[in-house]
Amino acid sequence: MTDVLPRLAVARARIPDIAQSAGVSTATVDRVLNGRGGVRAQTAQRVMQVAAQLGYLPAQAPLSPPSARPLRIAFLLPAGTNRYLRMLGDYIDFAQDQWAALDMKCRTHYVESFNPNELAARLLHYGQRSDGVVFMALEHPVVRDAVNTLADQGVPAITLISDLSNARRLAYVGIDNRAAGRTAGLLLGRFMGPRPSGKIAMLAGSLNYRGHEEREIGFLHLIESTFPQLRVIGLREGQDDSERNYMQTRKLLEQHPDLAGIYNSGGGSDGVARAIVEAKADQKILFIGHGLTPDTRALLIDGTMDALITQTPQSMVANCLKIFRNVRDQRSPLDGVKPIQFSIVLRENLP
């Protein structure tokens, strides 16, 4: 690939040039550059790297008029072992050439997970050094106050994946989490079939995330209204940590050896899977999770995980940057911004 790039970079690159250099189809390149799903994260990163090296820009994202300096955007993501969030952060930091071509400078900063005071302090710290911040919100008054303080200072904030109520944030970028929870409930209920046990359990990262709370509400409501024969035995918080989820799942299976299904609405699904495999239950334990990563992909392939719900990092980042560009260009923040859609991924439709 390295021998081809210098020759192609001489002229304006085309989609077929990017496809040839990245070793993928033109359809795959089109999906990546336009922020659509259905492409593996590693493939999408390779395509973005080649596109950046060739100086290619999507037709729908023309350069803005030159400004005094690029827009500085800070992405604040929870620290920890959540592989999907790490993949999102890597994508943001990896595509610096692409953001520079859009007259933007993006940086990822990791903050202590599930600590609202720390998140509020980091919001104020990076907000005063940036033209905009994007963050995964914890539902807490101190976080709300920090967002409102930034708004008073003219620094817009976008909530990502999980929203924040009654705050003057600029926009929310992410899926409809209640619909995602309902979808997980429908999948689990349909997959259950005529099983002797109707016990199912739910794990969450933390209900301090409004997104996780909304997934729980949607899941429980769907189960109650559509599958009344199923019994949800309780909710446990794993803080998106693989080891913690492993211990929580082990305790669940020890207390309820006839457990028939698990829905993990947060990260750390590999820990849940490890406990399921070790349990060697008489019946297959159904498992629904979130976030397509190399780990969850492997769990789908080997059958430990039955289905997952995911959203593409590319489309979320693209929406965030489009919103900030709209504000800079004095347009409505959501002008041309399409809602984020989630995908249901099974072993047989893995991208």
Side-chain angles (χ1 to χ4, degrees), residues 246-295:
Y246 167 72
M247 296 304 300
Q248 294 278 33
T249 306
R250 278 198 60 174
K251 290 178 182 177
L252 274 170
L253 294 172
E254 289 169 0
Q255 295 169 1
H256 305 277
D258 58 343
L259 189 70
I262 297 175
Y263 169 44
N264 179 27
S265 68
S269 284
D270 54 322
V272 179
R274 181 156 56 101
I276 289 175
V277 171
E278 290 180 3
K280 299 179 180 178
D282 293 335
Q283 65 175 353
K284 167 74 168 69
I285 299 173
L286 297 170
F287 180 22
I288 310 292
H290 277 261
L292 183 59
T293 66
D295 297 85

Side-chain angles (χ1 to χ4, degrees), residues 24-327:
V24 299
S25 68
T26 55
T28 297
V29 173
D30 180 73
R31 295 185 73 84
V32 172
L33 294 180
N34 288 286
R36 294 193 289 272
V39 181
R40 294 181 63 181
Q42 298 94 324
T43 302
Q45 288 180 345
R46 186 166 73 250
V47 170
M48 289 295 291
Q49 180 185 32
V50 171
Q53 289 173 325
L54 294 181
Y56 180 92
L57 286 178
Q60 71 271 30
L63 283 171
S64 297
S67 57
R69 58 172 172 75
L71 281 181
R72 301 165 300 171
I73 307 300
F75 285 78
L76 275 59
L77 299 179
T81 62
N82 188 314
R83 289 177 174 83
Y84 180 83
L85 294 179
R86 283 288 173 177
M87 187 171 68
L88 174 62
D90 289 344
Y91 170 69
I92 294 165
D93 290 338
F94 183 82
Q96 289 306 313
D97 290 343
Q98 192 79 357
W99 313 145
L102 297 173
D103 202 21
M104 307 183 95
K105 185 176 182 180
C106 303
R107 288 290 183 270
T108 303
H109 308 279
Y110 292 96
V111 301
E112 184 180 345
S113 303
F114 313 109
N115 185 332
N117 291 314
E118 176 68 12
L119 175 58
R122 294 300 92 192
L123 278 168
L124 295 174
H125 173 81
Y126 289 111
Q128 292 165 1
R129 293 159 175 77
S130 306
D131 300 301
V133 294
V134 182
F135 72 107
M136 188 168 165
L138 286 168
E139 190 69 52
H140 196 279
V142 297
V143 178
R144 191 176 300 115
D145 288 347
V147 171
N148 292 340
T149 297
L150 290 180
D152 290 337
Q153 297 172 352
V155 181
I158 293 176
T159 53
L160 184 71
I161 300 176
S162 187
D163 202 3
L164 180 65
S165 61
N166 301 319
R168 289 157 55 199
R169 50 85 167 144
L170 179 62
Y172 163 68
V173 172
I175 62 174
D176 181 335
N177 284 298
R178 186 170 295 197
R182 289 180 60 86
T183 300
L186 182 62
L187 289 171
L188 199 54
R190 293 295 187 197
F191 288 170
M192 192 70 64
R195 293 184 172 228
S197 169
K199 288 184 181 179
I200 58 177
M202 182 179 176
L203 297 172
S206 170
L207 295 187
N208 287 326
Y209 284 127
R210 178 176 166 183
H212 289 189
E213 181 182 28
E214 290 173 344
R215 291 175 189 179
E216 179 205 13
I217 292 171
F219 179 78
L220 294 177
H221 184 267
L222 190 286
I223 293 295
E224 181 180 354
S225 63
T226 309
F227 304 104
Q229 75 278 14
L230 300 183
R231 181 161 67 96
V232 182
I233 59 175
L235 172 67
R236 304 194 178 203
E237 295 180 78
Q239 298 187 349
D240 285 350
D241 181 78
S242 298
E243 192 61 29
R244 187 181 179 95
N245 272 350
Y246 167 72
M247 296 304 300
Q248 294 278 33
T249 306
R250 278 198 60 174
K251 290 178 182 177
L252 274 170
L253 294 172
E254 289 169 0
Q255 295 169 1
H256 305 277
D258 58 343
L259 189 70
I262 297 175
Y263 169 44
N264 179 27
S265 68
S269 284
D270 54 322
V272 179
R274 181 156 56 101
I276 289 175
V277 171
E278 290 180 3
K280 299 179 180 178
D282 293 335
Q283 65 175 353
K284 167 74 168 69
I285 299 173
L286 297 170
F287 180 22
I288 310 292
H290 277 261
L292 183 59
T293 66
D295 297 85
T296 55
R297 181 184 179 86
L299 295 176
L300 285 171
I301 290 173
D302 70 22
T304 306
M305 179 176 277
D306 296 278
L308 62 80
I309 297 166
T310 195
Q311 58 215 64
T312 62
Q314 295 89 346
S315 59
M316 288 193 295
V317 175
N319 272 15
C320 290
L321 299 189
K322 175 66 174 175
I323 291 168
F324 285 127
R325 285 165 58 82
N326 282 341
V327 172

